[in-house]
């Protein structure tokens, strides 16, 4: 007897075969500066081909806008590349990781970050430099920085002291300086120091201003 052919329907689902592309650091909306270590994971179910990390200015860049940071043929979890943000301008950037295997399956991950390599600018309007002060002294000024984290105010005896600084106050993300300094019991030359720090990672941008009274 001759058997008749049997027809079988087969459904292929290759979604699980896609490689892994995961950016873990920086996270979305992070503010970064300097040389930043990009962390994440690149793996594949099949034979791994490569991963490519690139950046572009803006939220939704065109295909031709991307600039490569690093390409590697080795799967990795940890630091995937170092990104020197000091050679590009401040602003919003898209960071993309693309992983490809030998079967041309690809996966990608993308985050948007803010690059900020600009130090805060501190302006102090009072007290005037080398002025004579008594009693309650008003400290007034402003700080210019889009991503300010905080500022601190300290004082110490002398014109340019290397030690002996005493904490006077601080404010978080407040760009106006408006503090009162009680000088009762103080006599002689003193220095005021205002230090402003922004929110950039891994190392914040910091600026200090010294005023002698």
């Amino acid at each position: 007897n001759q058997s008749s052919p049997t027809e079988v329907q087969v459904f292929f689902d290759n979604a699980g075969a896609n490689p892994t592309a995961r950016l873990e650091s920086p996270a979305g909306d992070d503010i970064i500066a300097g040389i930043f270590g990009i962390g994440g994971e690149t793996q594949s179910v099949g034979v791994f081909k490569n991963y490519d990390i690139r950046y572009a200015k803006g939220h939704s860049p065109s295909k031709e806008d991307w600039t490569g940071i690093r390409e590697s043929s080795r799967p990795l979890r940890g630091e995937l590349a170092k990104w020197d943000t000091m050679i590009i301008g401040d602003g919003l950037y898209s960071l993309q990781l693309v992983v490809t295997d030998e079967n041309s399956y690809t996966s990608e991950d993308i985050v948007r970050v803010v690059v900020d390599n600009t130090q805060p600018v501190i302006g102090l309007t009072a007290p005037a430099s080398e002025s004579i002060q008594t009693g309650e002294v008003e400290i007034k000024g402003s700080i210019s920085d889009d991503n300010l984290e905080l500022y601190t105010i300290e004082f110490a005896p002398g014109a340019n002291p290397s030690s002996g600084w005493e904490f006077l106050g601080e404010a978080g993300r407040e760009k106006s300086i408006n503090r009162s300094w009680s000088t009762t019991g103080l006599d002689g030359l003193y220095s005021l120091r205002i230090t402003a720090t922004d929110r950039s990672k891994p190392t914040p941008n910091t600026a200090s201003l010294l005023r002698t009274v």
Side-chain angles (χ1 to χ4, degrees):
N1 294 332
Q2 189 174 12
S3 59
S4 52
T6 302
E7 185 177 296
V8 178
Q9 289 185 335
V10 179
F11 174 71
F12 292 97
D13 181 5
N14 289 308
N18 286 340
T20 299
R22 182 180 299 115
L23 287 169
E24 298 173 347
S25 178
D29 299 324
D30 271 358
I31 301 166
I32 66 175
I35 298 176
F36 193 93
I38 300 171
E41 182 181 6
T42 65
Q43 300 290 341
S44 67
V45 175
V47 178
F48 188 89
K49 184 178 180 182
N50 63 18
Y51 73 80
D52 183 21
I53 300 179
R54 49 204 181 199
Y55 73 91
K57 185 90 178 208
H59 187 276
S60 302
S62 301
K63 184 177 181 180
E64 61 272 11
D65 295 334
W66 295 97
T67 299
I69 299 174
R70 186 190 181 196
E71 184 176 349
S72 175
S73 59
R74 184 168 66 95
L76 185 64
R77 180 166 191 179
E79 186 174 274
L80 305 178
K82 289 188 181 296
W83 184 15
D84 186 356
T85 68
M86 294 180 289
I87 62 174
I88 60 178
D90 289 358
L92 177 68
Y93 285 83
S94 296
L95 181 66
Q96 185 184 53
L97 169 64
V98 179
V99 179
T100 306
D101 67 13
E102 288 292 350
N103 292 320
S104 297
Y105 291 127
T106 64
S107 294
E108 67 177 55
D109 194 12
I110 188 167
V111 296
R112 278 87 185 181
V113 297
V114 174
V115 171
D116 180 2
N117 283 299
T118 302
Q119 288 185 334
V121 177
I122 306 169
L124 198 62
T125 56
S129 180
E130 300 183 1
S131 59
I132 298 174
Q133 304 288 334
T134 59
E136 293 291 325
V137 177
E138 294 299 314
I139 304 172
K140 293 184 178 294
S142 63
I143 300 173
S144 175
D145 192 280
D146 290 337
N147 303 301
L148 182 67
E149 176 66 20
L150 73 127
Y151 71 81
T152 59
I153 304 176
E154 303 163 287
F155 69 94
N160 192 18
S162 58
S163 61
W165 292 98
E166 294 187 41
F167 178 78
L168 185 59
E170 69 177 12
R173 303 187 185 183
E174 182 180 320
K175 295 185 179 182
S176 62
I177 302 172
N178 189 3
R179 294 279 166 167
S180 182
W181 175 28
S182 177
T183 62
T184 302
L186 301 181
D187 192 23
L189 196 65
Y190 275 79
S191 292
L192 274 173
R193 182 170 67 184
I194 295 94
T195 303
T197 304
D198 71 10
R199 290 178 280 150
S200 298
K201 300 176 182 179
T203 304
N205 298 299
T206 300
S208 293
L209 183 144
L210 199 66
R211 176 65 54 88
T212 303
V213 293

